[in-house]
Amino acid sequence: KNQVEQSPQSLIILEGKNCTLQCNYTVSPFSNLRWYKQDTGRGPVSLTIMTFSENTKSNGRYTATLDADTKQSSLHITASQLSDSASYICVVSEPGGYQKVTFGTGTKLQVIP
Amino acid sequence: GAGVSQTPSNKVTEKGKYVELRCDPISGHTALYWYRQSLGQGPEFLIYFQGTGAADDSGLPNDRFFAVRPEGSVSTLKIQRTERGDSAVYLCASSLAPPGQGHEQFFGPGTRLTVL
């Protein structure tokens, strides 16, 4: 069964600090991996997408990495802000005309002043 | 519309009742997904529509759950004989094409269902 596991489950950091969230997956074959940000009471919003050939991708203060050999991805947040407080969900898609996506359980990040 | 909308935003019902949850996808998006999200968990796949047809309904937990998309746009998730365990946030997402082709899924705000 395809799985996507994330760690840590939750994280509290001080405003201005950096943090890194981890995602390990067993989804195979693999098409792409997305990191989503989900604010409380809202639907997830895509931050980055990476395909098999990409190792790193940035979106402002968010930088995602992908190691397709070890099936690991990370999301690094630089100079955290209070508005970064949210759940971050790793999502992996299989290739083909139609695929289900497999969601991780998310990491709940809280940035405190 | 500007984004995916879902109605109602909150639904409280009694055990055993029937509920319908509505999703309005982004105009032109052929792919539509329903997910269920429990507190502290990631979204759990329920069903996927490509156009009007349910291409994959393997995530529906049992035959009390059913979804339709008769004209290939608006979709309705129907739950019969609701149980307390059905309480969750039901998310709808749409995309221009299947996510495996790199197309982003755009999520609605969800409907929070509470079964008393």
Short mmCIF file of all heavy atoms in Angstrom, two decimals, chain B residues 27-85:
data_model
loop_
_atom_site.label_atom_id
_atom_site.label_comp_id
_atom_site.label_asym_id
_atom_site.label_seq_id
_atom_site.Cartn_x
_atom_site.Cartn_y
_atom_site.Cartn_z
N SER B 27 -14.48 26.67 -12.84
CA SER B 27 -15.04 26.49 -14.17
C SER B 27 -13.99 25.95 -15.14
O SER B 27 -12.87 26.44 -15.21
CB SER B 27 -15.56 27.83 -14.68
OG SER B 27 -16.08 27.70 -15.99
N GLY B 28 -14.37 24.89 -15.86
CA GLY B 28 -13.45 24.31 -16.84
C GLY B 28 -12.61 23.17 -16.31
O GLY B 28 -11.95 22.47 -17.08
N HIS B 29 -12.63 22.97 -15.00
CA HIS B 29 -11.87 21.87 -14.43
C HIS B 29 -12.64 20.56 -14.61
O HIS B 29 -13.76 20.41 -14.13
CB HIS B 29 -11.60 22.11 -12.94
CG HIS B 29 -10.48 23.05 -12.70
ND1 HIS B 29 -9.90 23.22 -11.46
CD2 HIS B 29 -9.82 23.89 -13.53
CE1 HIS B 29 -8.91 24.11 -11.55
NE2 HIS B 29 -8.85 24.52 -12.80
N THR B 30 -11.99 19.61 -15.29
CA THR B 30 -12.68 18.35 -15.57
C THR B 30 -12.53 17.34 -14.44
O THR B 30 -13.34 16.45 -14.27
CB THR B 30 -12.15 17.73 -16.87
OG1 THR B 30 -10.75 17.47 -16.73
CG2 THR B 30 -12.39 18.65 -18.05
N ALA B 31 -11.45 17.45 -13.69
CA ALA B 31 -11.19 16.50 -12.62
C ALA B 31 -11.73 17.05 -11.30
O ALA B 31 -11.50 18.22 -10.96
CB ALA B 31 -9.70 16.23 -12.50
N LEU B 32 -12.43 16.21 -10.56
CA LEU B 32 -12.98 16.62 -9.26
C LEU B 32 -12.80 15.48 -8.27
O LEU B 32 -13.05 14.31 -8.58
CB LEU B 32 -14.46 16.98 -9.40
CG LEU B 32 -15.17 17.52 -8.16
CD1 LEU B 32 -16.24 18.53 -8.55
CD2 LEU B 32 -15.77 16.42 -7.31
N TYR B 33 -12.35 15.84 -7.08
CA TYR B 33 -12.07 14.87 -6.03
C TYR B 33 -12.86 15.22 -4.77
O TYR B 33 -13.00 16.40 -4.44
CB TYR B 33 -10.59 14.88 -5.65
CG TYR B 33 -9.63 14.36 -6.70
CD1 TYR B 33 -9.30 15.14 -7.80
CD2 TYR B 33 -9.05 13.11 -6.58
CE1 TYR B 33 -8.40 14.67 -8.75
CE2 TYR B 33 -8.15 12.64 -7.52
CZ TYR B 33 -7.83 13.42 -8.59
OH TYR B 33 -6.95 12.96 -9.54
N TRP B 34 -13.26 14.19 -4.05
CA TRP B 34 -13.77 14.36 -2.70
C TRP B 34 -12.80 13.68 -1.73
O TRP B 34 -12.32 12.56 -2.00
CB TRP B 34 -15.15 13.73 -2.54
CG TRP B 34 -16.28 14.55 -3.09
CD1 TRP B 34 -16.91 14.39 -4.30
CD2 TRP B 34 -16.96 15.61 -2.44
NE1 TRP B 34 -17.92 15.32 -4.44
CE2 TRP B 34 -17.98 16.08 -3.31
CE3 TRP B 34 -16.81 16.24 -1.20
CZ2 TRP B 34 -18.83 17.12 -2.99
CZ3 TRP B 34 -17.67 17.28 -0.88
CH2 TRP B 34 -18.66 17.71 -1.76
N TYR B 35 -12.56 14.36 -0.61
CA TYR B 35 -11.72 13.83 0.44
C TYR B 35 -12.43 14.00 1.79
O TYR B 35 -13.29 14.87 1.95
CB TYR B 35 -10.38 14.59 0.53
CG TYR B 35 -9.50 14.45 -0.68
CD1 TYR B 35 -9.58 15.36 -1.72
CD2 TYR B 35 -8.57 13.42 -0.77
CE1 TYR B 35 -8.76 15.25 -2.83
CE2 TYR B 35 -7.74 13.30 -1.87
CZ TYR B 35 -7.85 14.21 -2.90
OH TYR B 35 -7.04 14.10 -4.00
N ARG B 36 -12.01 13.19 2.74
CA ARG B 36 -12.50 13.34 4.11
C ARG B 36 -11.28 13.54 4.99
O ARG B 36 -10.29 12.81 4.88
CB ARG B 36 -13.28 12.09 4.54
CG ARG B 36 -13.79 12.14 5.95
CD ARG B 36 -14.79 11.02 6.21
NE ARG B 36 -14.18 9.70 6.21
CZ ARG B 36 -14.84 8.60 6.51
NH1 ARG B 36 -16.12 8.65 6.81
NH2 ARG B 36 -14.22 7.42 6.48
N GLN B 37 -11.37 14.52 5.86
CA GLN B 37 -10.25 14.83 6.73
C GLN B 37 -10.69 14.84 8.18
O GLN B 37 -11.52 15.67 8.57
CB GLN B 37 -9.62 16.18 6.36
CG GLN B 37 -8.34 16.49 7.11
CD GLN B 37 -7.66 17.74 6.61
OE1 GLN B 37 -8.31 18.64 6.10
NE2 GLN B 37 -6.34 17.81 6.75
N SER B 38 -10.12 13.95 8.95
CA SER B 38 -10.38 13.93 10.39
C SER B 38 -9.37 14.81 11.09
O SER B 38 -8.31 15.12 10.53
CB SER B 38 -10.30 12.49 10.92
OG SER B 38 -11.25 11.67 10.27
N LEU B 39 -9.68 15.20 12.29
CA LEU B 39 -8.84 16.13 13.05
C LEU B 39 -7.42 15.60 13.16
O LEU B 39 -7.21 14.46 13.58
CB LEU B 39 -9.45 16.36 14.43
CG LEU B 39 -8.84 17.50 15.24
CD1 LEU B 39 -9.08 18.83 14.53
CD2 LEU B 39 -9.43 17.53 16.64
N GLY B 40 -6.46 16.43 12.76
CA GLY B 40 -5.07 16.06 12.90
C GLY B 40 -4.55 15.08 11.87
O GLY B 40 -3.43 14.60 11.98
N GLN B 41 -5.38 14.82 10.88
CA GLN B 41 -4.99 13.86 9.83
C GLN B 41 -4.94 14.55 8.48
O GLN B 41 -5.53 15.61 8.28
CB GLN B 41 -5.98 12.70 9.77
CG GLN B 41 -6.09 11.91 11.05
CD GLN B 41 -4.82 11.17 11.38
OE1 GLN B 41 -4.22 10.52 10.53
NE2 GLN B 41 -4.39 11.28 12.63
N GLY B 42 -4.25 13.92 7.53
CA GLY B 42 -4.28 14.41 6.17
C GLY B 42 -5.56 13.98 5.50
O GLY B 42 -6.28 13.10 5.98
N PRO B 43 -5.91 14.61 4.39
CA PRO B 43 -7.12 14.22 3.65
C PRO B 43 -7.05 12.77 3.20
O PRO B 43 -6.01 12.28 2.79
CB PRO B 43 -7.11 15.17 2.45
CG PRO B 43 -6.31 16.36 2.90
CD PRO B 43 -5.26 15.78 3.78
N GLU B 44 -8.20 12.12 3.28
CA GLU B 44 -8.34 10.72 2.87
C GLU B 44 -9.19 10.68 1.61
O GLU B 44 -10.31 11.21 1.60
CB GLU B 44 -8.99 9.95 4.01
CG GLU B 44 -9.40 8.54 3.71
CD GLU B 44 -10.32 7.97 4.77
OE1 GLU B 44 -10.85 8.75 5.59
OE2 GLU B 44 -10.53 6.75 4.77
N PHE B 45 -8.68 10.06 0.57
CA PHE B 45 -9.38 10.02 -0.72
C PHE B 45 -10.71 9.28 -0.61
O PHE B 45 -10.80 8.21 0.01
CB PHE B 45 -8.49 9.31 -1.74
CG PHE B 45 -9.17 8.98 -3.03
CD1 PHE B 45 -9.35 9.95 -4.01
CD2 PHE B 45 -9.63 7.70 -3.30
CE1 PHE B 45 -9.97 9.65 -5.21
CE2 PHE B 45 -10.25 7.38 -4.48
CZ PHE B 45 -10.42 8.35 -5.44
N LEU B 46 -11.73 9.84 -1.22
CA LEU B 46 -13.04 9.19 -1.27
C LEU B 46 -13.38 8.77 -2.70
O LEU B 46 -13.63 7.61 -2.97
CB LEU B 46 -14.12 10.12 -0.73
CG LEU B 46 -14.05 10.48 0.75
CD1 LEU B 46 -15.16 11.46 1.10
CD2 LEU B 46 -14.16 9.23 1.62
N ILE B 47 -13.42 9.76 -3.61
CA ILE B 47 -13.89 9.48 -4.96
C ILE B 47 -13.32 10.52 -5.90
O ILE B 47 -13.07 11.66 -5.52
CB ILE B 47 -15.44 9.46 -5.01
CG1 ILE B 47 -15.97 9.03 -6.39
CG2 ILE B 47 -16.01 10.83 -4.62
CD1 ILE B 47 -17.47 8.77 -6.40
N TYR B 48 -13.14 10.09 -7.16
CA TYR B 48 -12.60 10.96 -8.20
C TYR B 48 -13.51 10.92 -9.42
O TYR B 48 -13.92 9.85 -9.86
CB TYR B 48 -11.19 10.49 -8.57
CG TYR B 48 -10.70 10.98 -9.92
CD1 TYR B 48 -10.36 12.31 -10.10
CD2 TYR B 48 -10.56 10.11 -10.99
CE1 TYR B 48 -9.90 12.76 -11.33
CE2 TYR B 48 -10.11 10.54 -12.22
CZ TYR B 48 -9.77 11.87 -12.39
OH TYR B 48 -9.33 12.32 -13.60
N PHE B 49 -13.84 12.10 -9.93
CA PHE B 49 -14.61 12.24 -11.16
C PHE B 49 -13.75 12.81 -12.26
O PHE B 49 -13.00 13.77 -12.04
CB PHE B 49 -15.80 13.20 -10.96
CG PHE B 49 -16.91 12.65 -10.13
CD1 PHE B 49 -16.95 12.84 -8.75
CD2 PHE B 49 -17.96 11.95 -10.73
CE1 PHE B 49 -17.99 12.35 -7.99
CE2 PHE B 49 -19.01 11.46 -9.97
CZ PHE B 49 -19.01 11.65 -8.60
N GLN B 50 -13.85 12.22 -13.43
CA GLN B 50 -13.30 12.82 -14.63
C GLN B 50 -14.52 13.11 -15.51
O GLN B 50 -15.11 12.19 -16.09
CB GLN B 50 -12.31 11.89 -15.32
CG GLN B 50 -11.69 12.47 -16.58
CD GLN B 50 -10.94 13.76 -16.33
OE1 GLN B 50 -10.25 13.92 -15.32
NE2 GLN B 50 -11.04 14.69 -17.25
N GLY B 51 -14.86 14.39 -15.60
CA GLY B 51 -16.11 14.72 -16.28
C GLY B 51 -17.29 14.30 -15.43
O GLY B 51 -17.35 14.57 -14.24
N THR B 52 -18.23 13.63 -16.05
CA THR B 52 -19.44 13.22 -15.34
C THR B 52 -19.30 11.88 -14.64
O THR B 52 -20.09 11.56 -13.75
CB THR B 52 -20.63 13.13 -16.31
OG1 THR B 52 -20.32 12.15 -17.32
CG2 THR B 52 -20.90 14.47 -16.99
N GLY B 53 -18.32 11.10 -15.04
CA GLY B 53 -18.21 9.75 -14.52
C GLY B 53 -17.27 9.62 -13.33
O GLY B 53 -16.25 10.31 -13.26
N ALA B 54 -17.64 8.74 -12.43
CA ALA B 54 -16.78 8.45 -11.29
C ALA B 54 -15.71 7.48 -11.75
O ALA B 54 -15.97 6.28 -11.91
CB ALA B 54 -17.59 7.86 -10.14
N ALA B 55 -14.50 8.00 -11.97
CA ALA B 55 -13.41 7.17 -12.47
C ALA B 55 -12.87 6.23 -11.40
O ALA B 55 -12.36 5.16 -11.70
CB ALA B 55 -12.28 8.04 -13.02
N ASP B 56 -13.00 6.64 -10.16
CA ASP B 56 -12.51 5.82 -9.06
C ASP B 56 -13.30 6.15 -7.80
O ASP B 56 -13.21 7.28 -7.32
CB ASP B 56 -11.02 6.08 -8.83
CG ASP B 56 -10.40 5.15 -7.78
OD1 ASP B 56 -11.15 4.52 -7.02
OD2 ASP B 56 -9.16 5.07 -7.73
N ASP B 57 -14.06 5.21 -7.32
CA ASP B 57 -14.82 5.41 -6.08
C ASP B 57 -14.34 4.46 -4.99
O ASP B 57 -15.08 4.18 -4.04
CB ASP B 57 -16.32 5.27 -6.32
CG ASP B 57 -16.70 3.86 -6.74
OD1 ASP B 57 -15.80 3.02 -6.90
OD2 ASP B 57 -17.91 3.61 -6.93
N SER B 58 -13.12 4.00 -5.13
CA SER B 58 -12.61 2.98 -4.20
C SER B 58 -12.41 3.51 -2.79
O SER B 58 -12.27 2.72 -1.85
CB SER B 58 -11.29 2.42 -4.72
OG SER B 58 -10.30 3.42 -4.79
N GLY B 59 -12.41 4.82 -2.61
CA GLY B 59 -12.22 5.38 -1.29
C GLY B 59 -13.49 5.54 -0.48
O GLY B 59 -13.43 5.82 0.72
N LEU B 60 -14.63 5.36 -1.11
CA LEU B 60 -15.88 5.46 -0.37
C LEU B 60 -15.93 4.35 0.67
O LEU B 60 -15.78 3.17 0.34
CB LEU B 60 -17.08 5.35 -1.30
CG LEU B 60 -17.22 6.48 -2.33
CD1 LEU B 60 -18.41 6.22 -3.24
CD2 LEU B 60 -17.36 7.83 -1.64
N PRO B 61 -16.15 4.70 1.94
CA PRO B 61 -16.02 3.69 3.02
C PRO B 61 -17.07 2.58 2.98
O PRO B 61 -16.79 1.46 3.39
CB PRO B 61 -16.12 4.51 4.30
CG PRO B 61 -16.77 5.79 3.89
CD PRO B 61 -16.42 6.03 2.49
N ASN B 62 -18.25 2.88 2.53
CA ASN B 62 -19.32 1.87 2.45
C ASN B 62 -20.45 2.41 1.57
O ASN B 62 -20.35 3.52 1.03
CB ASN B 62 -19.84 1.56 3.86
CG ASN B 62 -20.21 2.81 4.63
OD1 ASN B 62 -21.07 3.58 4.20
ND2 ASN B 62 -19.54 3.04 5.75
N ASP B 63 -21.50 1.60 1.43
CA ASP B 63 -22.56 1.97 0.49
C ASP B 63 -23.48 3.05 1.02
O ASP B 63 -24.45 3.42 0.36
CB ASP B 63 -23.36 0.73 0.08
CG ASP B 63 -24.05 0.06 1.25
OD1 ASP B 63 -24.00 0.60 2.38
OD2 ASP B 63 -24.63 -1.03 1.05
N ARG B 64 -23.19 3.59 2.20
CA ARG B 64 -23.97 4.74 2.65
C ARG B 64 -23.52 6.03 1.95
O ARG B 64 -24.22 7.04 1.99
CB ARG B 64 -23.85 4.90 4.16
CG ARG B 64 -24.43 3.76 4.97
CD ARG B 64 -24.42 4.07 6.48
NE ARG B 64 -23.06 4.24 6.98
CZ ARG B 64 -22.52 5.40 7.31
NH1 ARG B 64 -23.22 6.52 7.18
NH2 ARG B 64 -21.29 5.44 7.78
N PHE B 65 -22.32 5.95 1.38
CA PHE B 65 -21.74 7.12 0.72
C PHE B 65 -21.92 7.01 -0.80
O PHE B 65 -21.65 5.95 -1.38
CB PHE B 65 -20.24 7.23 1.02
CG PHE B 65 -19.93 7.63 2.43
CD1 PHE B 65 -20.09 6.74 3.48
CD2 PHE B 65 -19.47 8.91 2.71
CE1 PHE B 65 -19.80 7.11 4.78
CE2 PHE B 65 -19.17 9.29 4.00
CZ PHE B 65 -19.34 8.39 5.04
N PHE B 66 -22.32 8.11 -1.40
CA PHE B 66 -22.52 8.13 -2.84
C PHE B 66 -22.27 9.54 -3.33
O PHE B 66 -22.54 10.51 -2.61
CB PHE B 66 -23.96 7.70 -3.17
CG PHE B 66 -24.21 7.51 -4.63
CD1 PHE B 66 -23.66 6.43 -5.30
CD2 PHE B 66 -25.00 8.39 -5.35
CE1 PHE B 66 -23.89 6.24 -6.65
CE2 PHE B 66 -25.23 8.21 -6.71
CZ PHE B 66 -24.67 7.13 -7.35
N ALA B 67 -21.74 9.70 -4.53
CA ALA B 67 -21.50 11.03 -5.08
C ALA B 67 -21.90 11.06 -6.54
O ALA B 67 -21.81 10.05 -7.24
CB ALA B 67 -20.04 11.43 -4.92
N VAL B 68 -22.35 12.22 -6.97
CA VAL B 68 -22.75 12.40 -8.36
C VAL B 68 -22.17 13.69 -8.91
O VAL B 68 -21.85 14.61 -8.15
CB VAL B 68 -24.29 12.42 -8.50
CG1 VAL B 68 -24.87 11.07 -8.11
CG2 VAL B 68 -24.90 13.54 -7.68
N ARG B 69 -22.08 13.73 -10.22
CA ARG B 69 -21.63 14.93 -10.92
C ARG B 69 -22.31 14.92 -12.29
O ARG B 69 -21.67 14.73 -13.31
CB ARG B 69 -20.10 14.92 -11.06
CG ARG B 69 -19.53 16.27 -11.45
CD ARG B 69 -18.04 16.17 -11.71
NE ARG B 69 -17.45 17.48 -11.96
CZ ARG B 69 -16.27 17.64 -12.55
NH1 ARG B 69 -15.56 16.59 -12.94
NH2 ARG B 69 -15.80 18.86 -12.74
N PRO B 70 -23.62 15.10 -12.31
CA PRO B 70 -24.43 14.82 -13.50
C PRO B 70 -24.08 15.63 -14.75
O PRO B 70 -24.25 15.14 -15.87
CB PRO B 70 -25.86 15.12 -13.03
CG PRO B 70 -25.70 16.00 -11.85
CD PRO B 70 -24.41 15.58 -11.19
N GLU B 71 -23.62 16.86 -14.58
CA GLU B 71 -23.33 17.68 -15.75
C GLU B 71 -21.84 17.99 -15.88
O GLU B 71 -21.45 18.87 -16.65
CB GLU B 71 -24.16 18.96 -15.68
CG GLU B 71 -25.66 18.69 -15.72
CD GLU B 71 -26.49 19.96 -15.62
OE1 GLU B 71 -25.91 21.05 -15.47
OE2 GLU B 71 -27.72 19.84 -15.68
N GLY B 72 -21.04 17.29 -15.10
CA GLY B 72 -19.60 17.47 -15.23
C GLY B 72 -19.05 18.72 -14.57
O GLY B 72 -17.88 19.06 -14.78
N SER B 73 -19.90 19.37 -13.76
CA SER B 73 -19.38 20.54 -13.02
C SER B 73 -19.65 20.35 -11.53
O SER B 73 -18.83 19.74 -10.84
CB SER B 73 -19.98 21.84 -13.55
OG SER B 73 -21.40 21.78 -13.52
N VAL B 74 -20.80 20.80 -11.06
CA VAL B 74 -21.15 20.67 -9.64
C VAL B 74 -21.24 19.20 -9.25
O VAL B 74 -21.72 18.35 -10.03
CB VAL B 74 -22.49 21.37 -9.37
CG1 VAL B 74 -22.99 21.06 -7.96
CG2 VAL B 74 -22.37 22.87 -9.59
N SER B 75 -20.76 18.91 -8.04
CA SER B 75 -20.84 17.55 -7.53
C SER B 75 -21.52 17.57 -6.16
O SER B 75 -21.41 18.54 -5.41
CB SER B 75 -19.45 16.94 -7.40
OG SER B 75 -19.52 15.65 -6.82
N THR B 76 -22.23 16.50 -5.87
CA THR B 76 -22.88 16.35 -4.57
C THR B 76 -22.45 15.04 -3.94
O THR B 76 -22.50 13.98 -4.58
CB THR B 76 -24.42 16.35 -4.71
OG1 THR B 76 -24.83 17.54 -5.38
CG2 THR B 76 -25.08 16.29 -3.34
N LEU B 77 -21.99 15.12 -2.71
CA LEU B 77 -21.66 13.93 -1.92
C LEU B 77 -22.85 13.67 -1.00
O LEU B 77 -23.29 14.56 -0.28
CB LEU B 77 -20.40 14.17 -1.09
CG LEU B 77 -19.95 13.02 -0.18
CD1 LEU B 77 -19.55 11.79 -0.99
CD2 LEU B 77 -18.79 13.46 0.71
N LYS B 78 -23.34 12.45 -1.07
CA LYS B 78 -24.55 12.10 -0.32
C LYS B 78 -24.20 11.02 0.71
O LYS B 78 -23.54 10.03 0.37
CB LYS B 78 -25.63 11.58 -1.27
CG LYS B 78 -25.90 12.53 -2.44
CD LYS B 78 -26.95 11.99 -3.38
CE LYS B 78 -27.18 12.97 -4.54
NZ LYS B 78 -28.37 12.60 -5.34
N ILE B 79 -24.65 11.23 1.92
CA ILE B 79 -24.40 10.26 2.99
C ILE B 79 -25.74 9.87 3.59
O ILE B 79 -26.47 10.72 4.10
CB ILE B 79 -23.47 10.83 4.07
CG1 ILE B 79 -22.21 11.44 3.45
CG2 ILE B 79 -23.09 9.72 5.06
CD1 ILE B 79 -21.31 12.15 4.45
N GLN B 80 -26.04 8.59 3.52
CA GLN B 80 -27.29 8.08 4.10
C GLN B 80 -27.04 7.54 5.51
O GLN B 80 -25.93 7.11 5.83
CB GLN B 80 -27.84 6.95 3.23
CG GLN B 80 -28.18 7.36 1.81
CD GLN B 80 -28.66 6.18 0.98
OE1 GLN B 80 -28.09 5.11 1.04
NE2 GLN B 80 -29.71 6.39 0.21
N ARG B 81 -28.09 7.57 6.31
CA ARG B 81 -28.05 6.96 7.65
C ARG B 81 -26.75 7.32 8.37
O ARG B 81 -25.97 6.45 8.76
CB ARG B 81 -28.19 5.44 7.53
CG ARG B 81 -29.44 5.01 6.79
CD ARG B 81 -29.58 3.48 6.77
NE ARG B 81 -28.43 2.81 6.19
CZ ARG B 81 -28.20 2.67 4.91
NH1 ARG B 81 -29.05 3.19 4.02
NH2 ARG B 81 -27.13 2.02 4.48
N THR B 82 -26.52 8.60 8.51
CA THR B 82 -25.26 9.07 9.07
C THR B 82 -24.96 8.45 10.42
O THR B 82 -25.87 8.17 11.23
CB THR B 82 -25.25 10.60 9.21
OG1 THR B 82 -26.42 11.02 9.93
CG2 THR B 82 -25.22 11.28 7.86
N GLU B 83 -23.67 8.26 10.66
CA GLU B 83 -23.18 7.74 11.94
C GLU B 83 -22.21 8.75 12.54
O GLU B 83 -21.66 9.59 11.83
CB GLU B 83 -22.47 6.40 11.70
CG GLU B 83 -23.36 5.33 11.09
CD GLU B 83 -22.62 4.04 10.81
OE1 GLU B 83 -21.38 4.01 11.00
OE2 GLU B 83 -23.28 3.07 10.39
N ARG B 84 -22.01 8.64 13.85
CA ARG B 84 -21.13 9.59 14.53
C ARG B 84 -19.73 9.55 13.93
O ARG B 84 -19.03 10.56 13.85
CB ARG B 84 -21.12 9.32 16.03
CG ARG B 84 -22.45 9.62 16.67
CD ARG B 84 -22.37 9.62 18.21
NE ARG B 84 -23.68 9.94 18.78
CZ ARG B 84 -24.59 9.02 19.05
NH1 ARG B 84 -24.34 7.74 18.83
NH2 ARG B 84 -25.77 9.37 19.55
N GLY B 85 -19.31 8.40 13.47
CA GLY B 85 -17.98 8.26 12.87
C GLY B 85 -17.82 8.97 11.55
O GLY B 85 -16.71 9.09 11.03
#
